[in-house]
Amino acid sequence: QVQLVESGGGLVQPGGSLRLSCAAAGFAFRFYAMSWVRQVPGKELEWVSHINHFGTDTDYANSVKGRFTISRDNTNNILYLQMNSLKPEDSAVYYCARFYTAYRPPSRSIDEYSDRGQGTQVTVSS
C-alpha cells in the first residue's frame, strides 16, 4: 500500500522559507519519479516541480523557478521541497505525488501521478 506523508508546512511571512518533506512507504521509492503539486481552495491542482527517480533531473513551474528546490533521499525514502523567498501567492496545500509507473521520466501532467499524500498547508502572510 502506497503511503505518502507530507510535513513541514506552516505560517511564514513573505520572503521567508520552509522545507517540506514527504515520507514514502509501501513501494520502491528509488524507482519512481516524484512531484510536488499544490492546490488553493476552489482552484485546480497545480504542478509545482518534479524529479526523476535518480534525483538527477528536475523541473519547476515558472512561478517557483529560482525560489524552490526539489530533492530526494533514496536511502531514507524522503522527498523534499525547499521553498525560499515565499510569496503570498504560494499559499496552498502542498502534496507530494508518485508517478504512475516506475523507471519512467517525470512529467508536468498531474494526471500521470497516481498517488498523493494528505497534504500540508503552507500559508504566506504578514
Side-chain angles (χ1 to χ4, degrees):
Q1 181 180 357
V2 174
Q3 294 184 0
L4 299 167
V5 180
E6 300 92 340
S7 62
L11 173 64
V12 63
Q13 292 187 342
S17 298
L18 284 174
R19 188 175 81 156
L20 306 184
S21 299
C22 170
F27 67 101
F29 177 78
R30 66 190 183 281
F31 296 144
Y32 284 82
M34 299 291 295
S35 74
W36 287 96
V37 301
R38 65 187 181 186
Q39 189 170 32
V40 174
K43 295 190 176 181
E44 292 186 350
L45 278 170
E46 176 190 12
W47 170 82
V48 175
S49 178
H50 65 226
I51 187 167
N52 69 346
H53 62 285
F54 294 113
T56 56
D57 177 41
T58 60
D59 195 13
Y60 300 90
N62 288 337
S63 59
V64 307
K65 194 171 293 184
R67 301 187 297 121
F68 290 12
T69 303
I70 190 171
S71 61
R72 64 191 297 159
D73 179 349
N74 283 349
T75 299
N76 295 300
N77 297 342
I78 303 175
L79 179 72
Y80 298 103
L81 186 68
Q82 177 67 43
M83 305 187 297
N84 298 329
S85 303
L86 282 161
K87 305 175 180 180
E89 52 264 42
D90 294 319
S91 298
V93 177
Y94 283 72
Y95 302 90
C96 63
R98 186 190 78 158
F99 200 63
Y100 77 100
T101 189
Y103 304 111
R104 294 294 299 274
S107 163
R108 291 188 170 204
S109 173
I110 290 176
D111 292 341
E112 293 190 277
Y113 292 87
S114 58
D115 300 276
R116 292 199 306 269
Q118 85 291 345
T120 185
Q121 176 71 50
V122 171
T123 303
V124 185
S125 175
S126 55

XYZ file of all heavy atoms in Angstrom, residues 27-77:
426
model
N 6.231 1.151 -1.257
C 6.645 0.925 -2.640
C 8.136 1.226 -2.750
O 8.730 1.788 -1.830
C 5.836 1.794 -3.609
C 6.089 3.273 -3.489
C 6.905 3.941 -4.383
C 5.489 4.022 -2.480
C 7.134 5.308 -4.284
C 5.708 5.373 -2.353
C 6.534 6.028 -3.259
N 8.719 0.845 -3.881
C 10.151 1.054 -4.106
C 10.395 2.497 -4.544
O 10.496 2.802 -5.739
C 10.656 0.071 -5.142
N 10.491 3.374 -3.564
C 10.603 4.818 -3.799
C 11.699 5.146 -4.803
O 11.517 6.002 -5.669
C 10.877 5.489 -2.448
C 11.093 6.977 -2.510
C 10.030 7.849 -2.648
C 12.377 7.510 -2.396
C 10.225 9.223 -2.682
C 12.586 8.876 -2.429
C 11.509 9.738 -2.564
N 12.825 4.487 -4.723
C 14.001 4.840 -5.528
C 13.771 4.622 -7.022
O 14.575 5.094 -7.833
C 15.220 4.050 -5.063
C 15.127 2.543 -5.285
C 16.252 1.824 -4.591
N 16.248 0.386 -4.817
C 15.452 -0.467 -4.188
N 14.597 -0.028 -3.288
N 15.530 -1.760 -4.459
N 12.698 3.936 -7.397
C 12.431 3.645 -8.806
C 11.388 4.568 -9.429
O 11.089 4.444 -10.618
C 11.966 2.200 -8.967
C 12.996 1.178 -8.587
C 12.628 -0.005 -7.962
C 14.342 1.379 -8.855
C 13.582 -0.960 -7.604
C 15.300 0.444 -8.510
C 14.913 -0.729 -7.885
N 10.828 5.478 -8.645
C 9.720 6.298 -9.124
C 10.073 7.778 -9.184
O 10.630 8.336 -8.224
C 8.502 6.142 -8.219
C 7.758 4.861 -8.414
C 8.195 3.693 -7.806
C 6.613 4.821 -9.209
C 7.505 2.503 -7.986
C 5.919 3.640 -9.391
C 6.367 2.488 -8.780
O 5.682 1.320 -8.963
N 9.714 8.415 -10.290
C 9.726 9.866 -10.336
C 8.676 10.397 -9.365
O 7.649 9.747 -9.113
C 9.435 10.358 -11.743
N 8.951 11.569 -8.829
C 8.049 12.170 -7.851
C 7.835 13.638 -8.187
O 8.658 14.264 -8.861
C 8.647 12.065 -6.442
C 8.882 10.653 -5.941
S 7.368 9.737 -5.596
C 6.690 10.701 -4.226
N 6.748 14.173 -7.685
C 6.477 15.580 -7.909
C 5.868 16.215 -6.666
O 5.435 15.529 -5.742
C 5.514 15.766 -9.084
O 4.193 15.399 -8.719
N 5.864 17.525 -6.671
C 5.087 18.322 -5.734
C 4.018 19.064 -6.539
O 4.309 19.633 -7.599
C 5.963 19.326 -4.999
C 6.862 18.729 -3.975
C 8.182 18.379 -4.128
C 6.510 18.394 -2.627
N 8.668 17.846 -2.963
C 7.664 17.842 -2.017
C 5.357 18.500 -1.858
C 7.684 17.416 -0.679
C 5.379 18.076 -0.539
C 6.530 17.537 0.041
N 2.816 19.013 -6.027
C 1.717 19.766 -6.608
C 1.066 20.558 -5.492
O 1.266 20.249 -4.316
C 0.703 18.838 -7.309
C 1.368 18.047 -8.417
C 0.045 17.893 -6.308
N 0.288 21.577 -5.841
C -0.366 22.372 -4.805
C -1.770 22.743 -5.245
O -2.090 22.733 -6.435
C 0.455 23.622 -4.483
C 0.577 24.629 -5.623
C 1.550 25.739 -5.234
N 1.670 26.742 -6.295
C 2.528 27.755 -6.271
N 3.366 27.908 -5.237
N 2.567 28.627 -7.267
N -2.577 23.088 -4.263
C -3.962 23.435 -4.547
C -4.456 24.506 -3.603
O -4.310 24.388 -2.382
C -4.865 22.202 -4.469
C -6.280 22.440 -4.963
C -7.050 21.157 -5.104
O -6.852 20.199 -4.374
N -7.954 21.126 -6.075
N -5.052 25.517 -4.194
C -5.739 26.554 -3.447
C -7.216 26.190 -3.443
O -7.739 25.730 -4.464
C -5.518 27.932 -4.106
C -6.346 28.998 -3.407
C -4.039 28.290 -4.103
N -7.917 26.355 -2.321
C -9.348 26.009 -2.287
C -10.113 26.656 -3.431
O -9.965 27.853 -3.707
C -9.805 26.554 -0.931
C -8.580 26.500 -0.096
C -7.439 26.809 -1.009
N -10.897 25.836 -4.121
C -11.699 26.339 -5.216
C -10.985 26.374 -6.544
O -11.589 26.723 -7.565
N -9.702 26.024 -6.554
C -8.939 26.017 -7.797
C -8.409 24.620 -8.088
O -8.404 23.747 -7.229
C -7.792 27.017 -7.714
C -8.229 28.468 -7.604
C -7.069 29.420 -7.770
C -7.538 30.869 -7.760
N -6.396 31.813 -7.950
N -7.943 24.441 -9.317
C -7.422 23.133 -9.715
C -6.030 22.899 -9.126
O -5.320 23.837 -8.766
C -7.365 23.046 -11.238
C -8.725 23.035 -11.901
C -8.631 22.807 -13.394
O -7.511 22.839 -13.945
O -9.682 22.599 -14.027
N -5.663 21.639 -9.090
C -4.308 21.290 -8.710
C -3.321 21.932 -9.678
O -3.561 21.983 -10.882
C -4.121 19.775 -8.747
C -4.588 18.962 -7.543
C -4.539 17.478 -7.881
C -3.738 19.244 -6.324
N -2.203 22.369 -9.126
C -1.163 23.000 -9.935
C 0.135 22.235 -9.754
O 0.593 22.042 -8.617
C -0.968 24.456 -9.500
C 0.154 25.173 -10.219
C 0.487 26.529 -9.623
O 0.005 26.836 -8.516
O 1.248 27.287 -10.257
N 0.739 21.812 -10.847
C 2.047 21.167 -10.773
C 3.087 22.213 -10.382
O 3.090 23.322 -10.934
C 2.384 20.541 -12.120
C 3.789 20.071 -12.218
C 4.290 18.881 -11.743
C 4.887 20.760 -12.812
N 5.623 18.809 -12.013
C 6.022 19.948 -12.675
C 5.019 21.983 -13.453
C 7.280 20.314 -13.147
C 6.261 22.349 -13.927
C 7.384 21.524 -13.774
N 3.963 21.843 -9.455
C 4.985 22.760 -8.954
C 6.381 22.355 -9.409
O 7.155 23.171 -9.910
C 4.946 22.818 -7.415
C 6.088 23.665 -6.864
C 3.606 23.363 -6.934
N 6.694 21.061 -9.233
C 8.051 20.606 -9.526
C 8.065 19.091 -9.630
O 7.191 18.423 -9.066
C 9.000 21.057 -8.416
O 10.322 20.607 -8.635
N 9.061 18.554 -10.340
C 9.241 17.102 -10.312
C 10.723 16.753 -10.356
O 11.579 17.591 -10.655
C 8.466 16.407 -11.434
C 8.924 16.719 -12.829
N 8.044 17.029 -13.839
C 10.147 16.756 -13.404
C 8.698 17.239 -14.958
N 9.983 17.093 -14.718
N 10.977 15.491 -10.051
C 12.346 14.982 -10.005
C 12.335 13.538 -10.492
O 11.402 12.782 -10.189
C 12.906 15.106 -8.567
C 14.387 14.759 -8.502
C 12.093 14.269 -7.573
C 15.038 15.169 -7.179
N 13.349 13.164 -11.252
C 13.389 11.783 -11.728
C 13.833 10.849 -10.599
O 14.206 11.289 -9.509
C 14.277 11.654 -12.964
C 15.750 11.870 -12.676
O 16.126 12.363 -11.614
N 16.599 11.523 -13.618
N 13.768 9.547 -10.879
C 13.991 8.613 -9.777
C 15.445 8.600 -9.327
O 15.711 8.246 -8.178
C 13.493 7.214 -10.121
C 14.168 6.553 -11.280
N 13.913 6.903 -12.587
C 15.067 5.549 -11.339
C 14.619 6.133 -13.386
N 15.337 5.309 -12.666
N 16.361 9.023 -10.213
C 17.758 9.097 -9.792
C 18.025 10.340 -8.940
O 19.018 10.387 -8.211
C 18.687 9.171 -11.010
C 18.684 7.928 -11.853
C 18.171 7.952 -13.133
C 19.217 6.747 -11.372
C 18.175 6.818 -13.925
C 19.232 5.600 -12.162
C 18.710 5.641 -13.436
N 17.187 11.340 -9.103
C 17.435 12.620 -8.431
C 18.321 13.543 -9.231
O 18.796 14.564 -8.714
N 18.548 13.226 -10.505
C 19.474 13.990 -11.335
C 18.792 14.977 -12.266
O 19.445 15.844 -12.853
C 20.323 13.035 -12.185
O 19.443 12.201 -12.944
C 21.198 12.156 -11.288
N 17.498 14.844 -12.450
C 16.767 15.690 -13.389
C 15.591 16.326 -12.665
O 14.772 15.606 -12.082
C 16.281 14.862 -14.574
C 15.460 15.683 -15.538
O 15.851 16.840 -15.801
O 14.437 15.176 -16.031
N 15.519 17.643 -12.693
C 14.440 18.352 -12.020
C 13.811 19.381 -12.969
O 14.420 19.783 -13.967
C 14.952 19.084 -10.755
O 15.955 20.034 -11.141
C 15.539 18.107 -9.752
N 12.612 19.792 -12.639
C 11.925 20.806 -13.426
C 11.000 21.566 -12.492
O 10.549 21.019 -11.470
C 11.136 20.166 -14.569
C 10.712 21.175 -15.619
O 11.216 22.325 -15.612
O 9.860 20.823 -16.458
N 10.720 22.822 -12.861
C 9.933 23.690 -11.996
C 8.936 24.509 -12.814
O 9.222 24.908 -13.953
C 10.849 24.659 -11.244
C 11.872 23.978 -10.370
C 13.120 23.647 -10.863
C 11.562 23.642 -9.049
C 14.060 22.994 -10.061
C 12.491 23.002 -8.251
C 13.733 22.682 -8.771
O 14.649 22.037 -7.973
N 7.801 24.780 -12.206
C 6.869 25.740 -12.789
C 7.540 27.109 -12.813
O 8.345 27.444 -11.924
C 5.592 25.776 -11.965
N 7.196 27.898 -13.807
C 7.810 29.226 -13.925
C 7.579 30.076 -12.679
O 8.429 30.884 -12.310
C 7.258 29.948 -15.148
C 7.787 29.364 -16.441
O 8.838 28.732 -16.477
N 7.054 29.570 -17.528
N 6.448 29.865 -12.043
C 6.089 30.681 -10.882
C 6.996 30.439 -9.676
O 7.040 31.271 -8.770
C 4.633 30.419 -10.483
O 4.442 29.049 -10.180
N 7.701 29.309 -9.650
C 8.556 28.995 -8.495
C 10.024 28.833 -8.870
O 10.868 28.684 -7.989
C 8.076 27.715 -7.768
C 6.601 27.807 -7.420
C 8.359 26.466 -8.587
N 10.330 28.878 -10.143
C 11.703 28.660 -10.605
C 12.635 29.692 -9.980
O 12.327 30.885 -9.953
C 11.756 28.733 -12.124
C 13.033 28.194 -12.735
C 12.911 28.110 -14.246
C 11.902 27.077 -14.677
N 11.841 26.910 -16.156
N 13.754 29.212 -9.480
C 14.717 30.085 -8.835
C 14.464 30.295 -7.356
O 15.319 30.837 -6.649
N 13.312 29.871 -6.875
C 12.973 30.032 -5.453
C 12.811 28.692 -4.750
O 13.098 28.572 -3.568
C 11.676 30.830 -5.307
C 11.730 32.213 -5.912
C 10.468 33.019 -5.573
N 9.259 32.417 -6.137
C 8.231 32.022 -5.398
N 8.261 32.145 -4.080
N 7.162 31.517 -5.991
N 12.333 27.686 -5.456
C 12.085 26.366 -4.881
C 13.128 25.380 -5.396
O 13.582 25.475 -6.543
C 10.706 25.845 -5.267
C 9.543 26.556 -4.627
C 9.686 27.757 -3.936
C 8.268 26.014 -4.724
C 8.612 28.399 -3.364
C 7.173 26.641 -4.156
C 7.348 27.833 -3.481
N 13.459 24.399 -4.560
C 14.380 23.336 -4.947
C 13.827 21.997 -4.488
O 13.555 21.804 -3.295
C 15.767 23.545 -4.326
O 16.290 24.824 -4.717
C 16.732 22.458 -4.796
N 13.667 21.098 -5.440
C 13.204 19.744 -5.117
C 14.424 18.835 -4.997
O 15.415 18.990 -5.721
C 12.227 19.234 -6.198
C 11.550 17.939 -5.761
C 12.924 19.074 -7.547
C 10.410 17.510 -6.702
N 14.343 17.888 -4.079
C 15.422 16.917 -3.928
C 14.848 15.646 -3.312
O 13.688 15.627 -2.881
C 16.548 17.477 -3.049
O 16.083 17.773 -1.751
N 15.651 14.606 -3.289
C 15.176 13.339 -2.729
C 16.317 12.591 -2.072
O 17.488 12.726 -2.477
C 14.516 12.488 -3.810
C 15.431 12.036 -4.917
C 14.631 11.426 -6.063
N 13.924 10.219 -5.636
C 12.859 9.712 -6.272
N 12.404 10.309 -7.365
N 12.281 8.604 -5.838
N 15.958 11.782 -1.101
C 16.888 10.897 -0.400
C 16.391 9.480 -0.615
O 15.457 9.037 0.055
C 16.912 11.272 1.089
C 17.822 10.388 1.913
O 18.283 9.348 1.414
O 18.084 10.727 3.082
N 17.004 8.794 -1.555
C 16.545 7.448 -1.904
C 16.971 6.388 -0.882
O 16.483 5.265 -0.936
C 17.045 7.064 -3.285
C 16.253 7.722 -4.405
O 15.205 8.316 -4.166
N 16.764 7.645 -5.617
N 17.846 6.753 0.023
C 18.213 5.816 1.090
C 17.133 5.780 2.163
O 16.775 4.717 2.679
C 19.557 6.209 1.712
O 20.573 6.159 0.699
C 19.930 5.283 2.862
N 16.617 6.960 2.480
C 15.623 7.060 3.541
C 14.196 7.273 3.033
O 13.274 7.469 3.827
C 16.000 8.193 4.498
C 17.296 7.890 5.230
O 17.380 6.878 5.941
N 18.302 8.733 5.072
N 14.022 7.230 1.710
C 12.686 7.331 1.096
C 11.972 8.635 1.448
O 10.815 8.636 1.899
C 11.814 6.140 1.505
C 12.362 4.820 1.028
O 13.199 4.773 0.128
N 11.912 3.739 1.636
